[in-house]
């Protein structure tokens, strides 16, 4: 029940950064996902923590987790050739998750 309430509040939340998220393609090469995620977290009052996983994947890629202190806590995972790439991809995946979870329901006509 708390979980549903949190996402319902986030769906109804206002804020220029959350609005920007919904009007932005997360595939854009010039988008700094880490900055946008940081701006949204400040605006919506949750914390973002990046965790570098010590072990590499079997392919030799670096692993990164992003934890967002929403209720419930959400954790997203990504890999990259180095930590910076893994961190940037983890931020992009987290933004995609937030975009999906905060999408406002379509009004029936």
């Amino acid at each position: 029940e708390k979980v549903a309430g949190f996402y319902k509040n986030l769906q109804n939340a206002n804020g220029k950064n959350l609005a920007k998220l919904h009007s932005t393609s997360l595939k854009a090469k010039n988008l700094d996902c880490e900055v946008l995620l940081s701006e949204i977290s400040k605006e919506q009052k949750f914390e973002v923590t990046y965790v570098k996983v010590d072990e590499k994947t079997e392919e030799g890629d670096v692993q990164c987790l992003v934890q967002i202190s929403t209720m419930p806590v959400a954790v997203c995972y990504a890999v990259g050739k180095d930590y910076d790439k893994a961190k940037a991809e983890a931020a992009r995946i987290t933004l995609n998750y937030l975009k999906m979870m905060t999408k406002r329901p379509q009004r029936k006509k």
Side-chain angles (χ1 to χ4, degrees), residues 34-46:
E34 292 172 58
V35 169
L36 181 55
L37 182 57
S38 175
E39 290 170 348
I40 292 170
S41 74
K42 287 176 188 144
E43 179 182 85
Q44 301 300 323
K45 297 178 178 48
F46 61 82

Side-chain angles (χ1 to χ4, degrees), residues 76-96:
C76 297
Y77 166 84
V79 297
K81 294 297 175 194
D82 58 45
Y83 179 65
D84 289 338
K85 287 183 175 59
K87 186 178 176 190
E89 180 65 5
R92 188 189 67 75
I93 289 168
T94 305
L95 286 172
N96 200 44

Side-chain angles (χ1 to χ4, degrees), residues 2-108:
K2 281 184 179 180
V3 174
F6 171 78
Y7 286 114
K8 193 164 200 70
N9 288 342
L10 206 51
Q11 281 177 339
N12 295 321
N14 292 313
K16 66 178 185 170
N17 292 309
L18 199 55
K20 180 180 175 183
L21 174 63
H22 286 279
S23 63
T24 300
S25 169
L26 297 177
K27 294 179 182 176
K29 296 284 185 212
N30 62 342
L31 178 65
D32 189 331
C33 293
E34 292 172 58
V35 169
L36 181 55
L37 182 57
S38 175
E39 290 170 348
I40 292 170
S41 74
K42 287 176 188 144
E43 179 182 85
Q44 301 300 323
K45 297 178 178 48
F46 61 82
E47 290 183 29
V48 176
T49 306
Y50 293 92
V51 179
K52 181 180 179 183
V53 178
D54 290 336
E55 293 179 30
K56 290 189 174 185
T57 65
E58 289 182 5
E59 294 79 23
D61 289 334
V62 175
Q63 303 177 85
C64 181
L65 300 171
V66 180
Q67 176 181 313
I68 55 175
S69 66
T70 53
M71 183 44 101
V73 168
V75 177
C76 297
Y77 166 84
V79 297
K81 294 297 175 194
D82 58 45
Y83 179 65
D84 289 338
K85 287 183 175 59
K87 186 178 176 190
E89 180 65 5
R92 188 189 67 75
I93 289 168
T94 305
L95 286 172
N96 200 44
Y97 168 78
L98 286 171
K99 192 174 192 178
M100 177 183 65
M101 296 307 289
T102 61
K103 186 174 182 178
R104 293 187 178 174
Q106 296 290 320
R107 301 267 184 239
K108 293 185 176 155

